[in-house]
Amino acid sequence: KYIVSGADDRTARFWEADSGALIHVLSGHREAISCVDVSSNGLFLITGSMDSSVKLWDIRSGIELANLYVESCATSCAFNHKAQFILAGTQNSTLHIFATKTFQELHVLHAHRLGIRCCMFSEDSTR
């Protein structure tokens, strides 16, 4: 079990929930971090930032695996339940879907007239 936070200081911090021990301080964003999510398999972390990027991190090593560009401030981010896909909502009202393994952008959905504040995948991928 983990606890993750993202902050205005442009870092994400990653703790072991049971002991409260700090595991990683993750740096790399150029602006404040606005969203975080941990994959259900416990292997990956994503951070979204006001710098128009979503970063994919390896939890064990704390190494950045990918920097995904999303055109506008990333305001919400989520993995699907099998960690195959990354979803990012943005301030310019688009949703971006990326493949976790290849980092390829699969879809850009023009969703709303105003910025997106939250997004998620349903647990049942058949719906």
Side-chain angles (χ1 to χ4, degrees), residues 11-125:
T11 67
R13 294 180 186 253
F14 193 81
W15 291 273
E16 211 289 320
D18 292 334
S19 68
L22 181 64
I23 299 170
H24 298 297
V25 177
L26 306 173
S27 301
H29 283 289
R30 296 182 323 275
E31 298 290 337
I33 294 174
S34 50
C35 55
V36 298
D37 193 26
V38 175
S39 64
S40 61
N41 61 13
L43 298 177
F44 304 108
L45 166 70
I46 50 176
T47 55
S49 171
M50 303 309 278
D51 67 7
S52 303
S53 72
V54 174
K55 292 185 182 289
L56 175 67
W57 306 86
D58 178 275
I59 285 180
R60 290 185 186 129
S61 66
I63 293 173
E64 179 184 324
L65 301 174
N67 183 39
L68 310 171
Y69 178 68
V70 293
E71 299 176 11
S72 179
C73 301
T75 54
S76 183
C77 57
F79 285 103
N80 76 319
H81 72 286
K82 292 185 178 180
Q84 301 158 305
F85 305 107
I86 295 167
L87 176 64
T90 66
Q91 195 169 8
N92 75 348
S93 72
T94 57
L95 290 164
H96 298 258
I97 302 171
F98 296 90
T100 304
K101 285 184 181 179
T102 64
F103 318 130
Q104 178 183 3
E105 187 170 54
L106 303 174
H107 301 287
V108 177
L109 308 176
H110 299 278
H112 297 273
R113 290 185 357 229
L114 297 173
I116 294 171
R117 297 289 172 235
C118 53
C119 61
M120 65 175 282
F121 286 99
S122 69
E123 286 188 40
D124 181 353
S125 61

